[in-house]
Amino acid sequence: MKKSVQELVNSKRFNLLDYDRKGLAAFFVALGEKPFRATQVLKWVYQEGVEDFDLMTNLSKSLRTYLKENCYLATPEIVIEQIASDGTRKWALQTSCGNRIETVFIPEEGRGTLCVSSQIGCALACSFCSTAQQGFNRNLTTAEIIGQVIVAQKRLGDTKKVTNVVMMGMGEPLLNFDNVVAAMNLMMDDFTFGLSKRRVTISTSGVVPAMYRLTEACDVSLAVSLHAVTDELRDILVPINKKYPLAELMDACRDNAKIAPRRTVTFEYVMLEGVNDSMDDARGLIKLLKNVPSKLNLIPFNPFPNNHYRCSSKEVIQRFKTVLNDAGIVTTVRKTRGDDIDAACGQLVGQVEDKSRRHLKLKALGVISAA
Ligand code: SAH
């Protein structure tokens, strides 16, 4: 829970990176300062890279002393860096409590995308996702989320720039709503990174009530992990579907698309051999997406140990894509990046044992082979 301003003022020391501009302005007002102190501090921290309050020379001496005594600025720290042959970089970052989170930078022609984590572990148990096998540990703070962008940009230096952020790392961002929204506000703030709303994407497995809240609270691009066109299969692949089934999910997507003309929702669809990659599935997708302004992103499944799925063949993925494109749905296949460092989105954890019994259920349903 975010602290109230009063609690903030009363509390001993707190991380200024936990607050977006609005939060900081409220804090300064509560201290008897002008709200524009927020933009001054944001500029020092995010644009000048200044961490020492004494160097923030446009603040009064007494305010600097107050900040020094009561506040701090802390990001998670890089403990491991891996650089793939295609330039993709994966960092393991350590939080103050010793947990590790992972952040991935994917350089492309003319842009650099940072894949950011929102939680330590994940509670949602999607059966094809390695983060799910970790279970859920805790929500990341705003400082730990925006800290991933700060640390990545610092490490990349002047040579490469983070131009896009996708909330597609570990965790379900909509289940850490307030902290994620504050962090995304910071990413888009002109006094920090100034990313446009089209360049900040939140990806959700379909937490429907939070999707409506998001439409109200924060205008960013929305991606939805669809992965199946029937409730029967989606219940297994993305179990939150049992709570918020497809019809409700699609309503929420339509609602989000209404925000602006020409706005689209990106649907992610992981290609699992023999599970969701048939022509029936393709036809089901066409039907499902017919009334939603949408783009479709087919994701080749990234295998990981102790998992029982296989990626659809290149030919099947291409055929699937052609059928969808021919039906007028803009469909792309996500390039696999950072293969040699195990860095593809949704696969940030690596060697974890599948403690679940989901594969048995899938076998019983004939979704995967008994082998
Ligand atoms: N919880 C959010 C964001 C995290 S994952 C969500 O579900 O959208 C980002 C994307 O990677 C999601 O579409 C997710 O379903 C997908 N993904 C997870 N594991 C994967 C794997 N092993 N191979 C390919 N994509 C995967």
Side-chain angles (χ1 to χ4, degrees), residues 115 118 122 124 126 128-131 167-173 202-206 223-227 238 268-272 299-304 334 344-347:
C115 183
S118 57
C122 187
L124 289 186
C126 298
F128 55 89
C129 177
S130 63
T131 305
M167 297 300 306
M168 292 186 188
M170 294 161 77
E172 168 49 52
I202 189 165
S203 176
T204 182
S205 55
V224 171
S225 297
L226 192 59
H227 306 321
V238 188
E268 298 157 279
Y269 193 93
V270 65
M271 296 299 293
L272 302 168
I299 314 176
F301 171 64
N302 251 290
F304 53 94
R334 186 178 294 171
C345 283
Q347 210 205 325

Side-chain angles (χ1 to χ4, degrees), residues 124-129 226-241 269-270 272 275-276 309 358 362 367-368:
L124 289 186
C126 298
S127 55
F128 55 89
C129 177
L226 192 59
H227 306 321
V229 296
T230 62
D231 281 323
E232 192 194 12
L233 180 59
R234 199 163 187 275
D235 281 353
I236 298 167
L237 298 182
V238 188
I240 198 169
N241 191 70
Y269 193 93
V270 65
L272 302 168
V275 175
N276 64 356
Y309 295 107
R358 279 185 296 275
L362 283 161
V367 170
I368 56 172

Side-chain angles (χ1 to χ4, degrees), residues 277-347:
D277 63 352
S278 71
M279 282 304 111
D280 267 356
D281 293 304
R283 281 188 286 272
L285 259 179
I286 294 167
K287 223 168 125 193
L288 204 61
L289 301 188
K290 201 172 59 194
N291 297 319
V292 194
S294 45
K295 282 187 201 133
L296 182 64
N297 195 207
L298 302 177
I299 314 176
F301 171 64
N302 251 290
F304 53 94
N306 300 306
N307 186 273
H308 299 260
Y309 295 107
R310 280 199 300 260
C311 184
S312 310
S313 69
K314 277 199 176 107
E315 296 71 39
V316 166
I317 297 177
Q318 273 313 312
R319 193 165 3 114
F320 208 84
K321 178 186 164 192
T322 306
V323 171
L324 269 303
N325 267 328
D326 288 350
I329 296 165
V330 177
T331 307
T332 49
V333 178
R334 186 178 294 171
K335 275 197 234 124
T336 46
R337 300 291 305 263
D339 269 358
D340 48 335
I341 58 166
D342 211 20
C345 283
Q347 210 205 325

Side-chain angles (χ1 to χ4, degrees), residues 89-93 101-105 114-117 148 152:
R89 292 183 187 217
K90 179 170 96 167
W91 296 287
L93 307 181
I101 51 174
E102 293 183 342
T103 308
V104 181
F105 178 73
L114 194 69
C115 183
V116 167
S117 296
Q148 294 172 65

Side-chain angles (χ1 to χ4, degrees), residues 13-14 36 47 59 76 81 98 100 107-108 164 181 183 195 207 221 252 256 269 277 281 320 339 345:
R13 277 166 65 80
F14 60 92
F36 68 77
Q47 294 183 346
L59 309 181
E81 177 179 64
R100 285 187 180 183
E108 282 171 294
N164 295 57
V181 165
L195 301 184
V207 189
S221 301
N256 185 276
Y269 193 93
D277 63 352
D281 293 304
F320 208 84
D339 269 358
C345 283

